[in-house]
Amino acid sequence: MASIPDLDLLRGTLDLLVLKTLSWGPMHGLAVLHQIEDVTGQRLQIEEGALYPALHRMEQRGWLDAEWGYTERNRKAKFYCLTAVGRRRLTAELLKWSRYTEAVGLLLAHEGAR
Amino acid sequence: MKRDSGRRRVFRIPFSRRGLDRDVDAELRFHLEGRIEELMAMGMSRDEASVEARQRFGDLDSHRRELRAIDEEMQKMRQRLEFTDTVGRELKYAVRTLGRSRTFAAMAFVTLALGLGAAMAIFTILDAVVLRPLPYAHGDRLVALSSPVPGIKAAPVWGLARHEMYYFKRESHTLEDLGIYRTELATLTGDGGATQPERAPAAYVSASLFGVLGIVPERGRLLNPDDNLRATDTLDAALMSHGLWERRYAGDTTIVGKRIDLDGYPVTVVGVLPPSAQLPDYKVDLWLPLDMNPASPARSNHIFSVIGRMRRGVDIANAQRELTALTARFPTAFPNVYTPKMMEGTGFTTLVKSLRDDVVGSLVTKSIWILFAAVIVVLLIAAANVANLFLVRVETRRLEAAVRSAIGASRGALAVHSLAESLVLTGMAALGAIGVAWAGLHFLVALAPSDLPRLDEVHLGWTGFAFTIVCALVAGITLGLLPSLRGQVDLAMLREGGRGSTGAPRRLATRNILVTSQMALALILLTAAGLLVRSLRNLRGVHPGFDPTNVMTMSLSLPNGRYRSPQIANAFFEQLAARVRALPGVLSVGFGGALPLESSELCTGAVVDVPGPSGERSDCVQMMQVTPGYFETLRIPLRGHAPDWPENDRGGASAVVSEAFANRFWPNEDAINRGVKCCNGMPPFYRISGVTGPVRTHGLDRSPGQVVYFPMIPFARNPGIEGLPLFMRLVVRTAAGMSNSVLPAIRRAVNEIDPQVPISDIAPMEQLLAQSLARRSFTMMLLAAAAALALVLSAVGIYGVISYVVAQRRSEIGIRMALGARAEDVRGMVVRQSLVLAGIGVLIGLACALATTRVLGALLFGVSPNDPLVLICATLLLVILATVASYAPAVRASRVDPVEALRG
């Protein structure tokens, strides 16, 4: 909701978030959104319209597999899950991310030469 | 249908565009609905929630379009993947199953590779020699002109005369331009003693020929019309081929403008042509201006080759119509050369032919097509054998097929398996065929008669590959579909534990048809090969009219710059004859303008001494100058006597005529002491002093020619004759085995008398005799090879079928033997079965052979296309073959153990 403070998403981070989220188990698009919002305490807000193209693209690349299934409320929904390729991708992205944040952290912690 | 999980999703993704759209819409709808419900749960009205949900989502339509685009792309990618995946899997499976039955694969591979390779090799020759256009720009617009004169049987086709070319050039609208030429050997004399004298093939050409053929110079310039004009007085410009320039002048970059010695005269080199520039039918080293002047009066000198270039859009029929009409006007245009009576009497006309057909010639074209047909027949026989192998395999794999079918493989899937297998096999065979064709072509080109036109254009190329690939594909698809054409997979087999025999009669019928067709095809090839063998034997049996053993021949040509009178030329030959005669091992020596068998078609009229004011004019007689010793050396039988050296020197006017000539004019009288005049009936008058036996002057397959042999000096003085006897063939008869060893001494003798006289064309007379048969031998050998291959393949085919029959009838044979049949009876029964198949094949083959061997036509000599001996021999050979091929299975059948066969 508009009142919730949101952070602008860094470019390329969406893929990582989706991959990580799906690593907990297969889920549909709306559930992915909910998971991200819940876990981050509503701090990260994903643009809804951008989520689906990202999901389809990752499916096209073979990172995700999609299957029609039923929700607990017995609605037909398209579920996504990680493929083996997707899992490897996630590991690689995580490594990259941690290196990046580490480097940024180092820089920000530095006081500079006196 | 069970499929592994990796591929499952393909079938979940809808295949149609509309399905994709539904998918995207459903997913988005689910999202929006979910959001709306959440928002409503938080207290919004449905309408508010719906507006809010849409707002959060952003531009719904553009997102939907984006999703569709991604999905469509994804689907295409997956279909491609799926396809290559399936193909790859099927091929891998096919390679594996073929690997499991190595004998089958190897036999099929070898058979097909041989068949395809042979077909590819001959197709490559066919393509290069017959099908491909000549290597000139727009070669399909080039035509050759000639003048058929059917009324003159001995020389039914003439060349054109110079004035005719000018006339056509002026009057024709269908021809853009015309060029004229005549080929000759020129003598490159020493260049001031710096180099060896050499005979070089030369063309005397009109300047327009270069434009017609699209030839441009590499250095310097081409010949121009001025050169043609000046050539009537003196020859002062020469153009040389790239080959001669590199070989003799070491690629001298300053050659243009230099002088070379041609026949003893200095001539200026005006240019060098690129390597590709050549005449269509003859490789020449020197291009010299033909003496011609448009203003010269017309002369009856129909000896030139003419090439025309048709205008764009004109076809040969158009050009022919126009030139026929123009030719009809000759008597008006050139009354001094053509009279209506002459035109009518000879049937004189002008023939337009595509240059390619003219160069390749109908006999060559025909021979190559026949060979091509033969290898296609071999390929068919090979394919029939492989088809048989496939059928055997289908038998052995019926159980496997039944099992696969029982667990759900559709007929289509089974067909795909078999197709993949046959395509892998034929694909490999096509690769093998390229190797076979490569080796075969080297062999063929080395073996081919040197006068086979366009031989240097024969290379393995894309057309050959394309041909092989198409053949392999056709074979692969046919063989692959063969099992599925044979009806339903037999599920009953499963119940019978794989021993069922349902459907066997039909399978056998297919195989019998295959084997009888093989026999029929093999018989056709055998007959054709047999006819050619007989033709060649007949030709070899023809007595040439001379004795070729221990005779060495070579050509000598005197540079006309220094041999300007018949006396000087005669002195040279007389001196050389004396020196060669004195060499150890030499029995006799002589010179003649031509050798038997190689005599050109060129002929002139002679006037003979018969009652009447001007004598009778002969239609076509070959005129030749000979020196004493010519007849003796060649051992041409001679009644009367030939002029000797003193008589020749004195200018005594006596001549020798051939038997054919004598019989033509004095059928029941003695020709000796009659008289003959040369050519246009000018004096002198020659007394006939001798008559030769029948000499095959034009080739073994032609009847002995009409020849008048003149002595050298008086003949050369004859005002009707152009030129001196400067080019002569030397014939030397030696003691046995000495022919080659006298060569160095002869060279030395020539060099000592005149170092500027080149020697060329050294060859034993026996070799020339063999060469005259080369083209026929070549065709015959290849056809015989094809027939042999066909025989072997047919034998393998009949062996396979009979083996199969024996295996099928094991229990029946067992019963027979249990009931007391003897081993011989069983063997006889099996062999009889094979003979029935062969018999049917032979009968069909005989009918086909009778219908088709006629196409051999001009290749045959002294044997009818339906020669009974050949037909009988071919039939016998096949029958023997069928007996031999069935013998091993017959023995196997006779060793069947009755108890075992009945129990098993």
Side-chain angles (χ1 to χ4, degrees), chain A residues 1 28-30 33-34 37 45 47-53 55-57 59-62 64-68 71 73 75-78 80 83, chain B residues 8-9 12-13 22-24 26-28 30-35 37-39 42 52-53 56-58 63 66-68 70-71 73-74 77-78:
Chain A
M1 278 165 219
H28 50 74
L30 196 55
L33 280 180
H34 286 150
E37 285 169 0
Q45 190 137 28
E47 195 200 326
E48 291 182 21
L51 174 69
Y52 286 94
L55 284 169
H56 282 231
R57 253 191 209 107
E59 186 192 351
Q60 187 189 7
R61 287 177 191 149
L64 304 183
D65 211 348
E67 199 165 14
W68 285 96
T71 64
R73 296 173 62 190
R75 292 246 177 98
K76 215 177 140 195
K78 197 172 175 190
Y80 293 89
T83 60
Chain B
R8 200 168 5 148
R9 61 183 165 198
R12 250 182 317 92
I13 293 291
R22 267 205 305 275
D23 225 37
V24 167
E27 186 175 21
L28 294 183
F30 169 81
H31 177 93
L32 288 173
E33 293 285 323
R35 265 293 188 236
E37 274 171 32
E38 282 167 32
L39 291 169
M42 290 169 77
E52 172 71 19
R56 280 197 193 188
F57 196 85
H63 285 311
E66 194 181 353
L67 290 182
R68 280 178 191 163
I70 295 172
D71 285 5
E73 204 181 310
M74 174 160 48
M77 203 178 78
R78 281 181 180 166

Side-chain angles (χ1 to χ4, degrees), chain B residues 800-857:
Chain B
V801 168
I802 297 300
S803 299
Y804 170 75
V805 170
V806 167
Q808 286 284 316
R809 293 176 61 187
R810 253 173 75 85
S811 49
E812 181 209 323
I813 292 169
I815 294 173
R816 280 171 191 261
M817 295 192 66
L819 292 179
R822 288 168 306 163
E824 302 94 276
D825 300 337
V826 172
R827 282 201 290 271
M829 183 184 76
V830 173
V831 171
R832 251 196 318 281
Q833 190 147 22
S834 154
L835 287 181
V836 167
L837 284 183
I840 298 171
V842 162
L843 282 183
I844 299 171
L846 278 178
C848 296
L850 286 176
T852 54
T853 45
R854 213 159 309 152
V855 303
L856 291 173

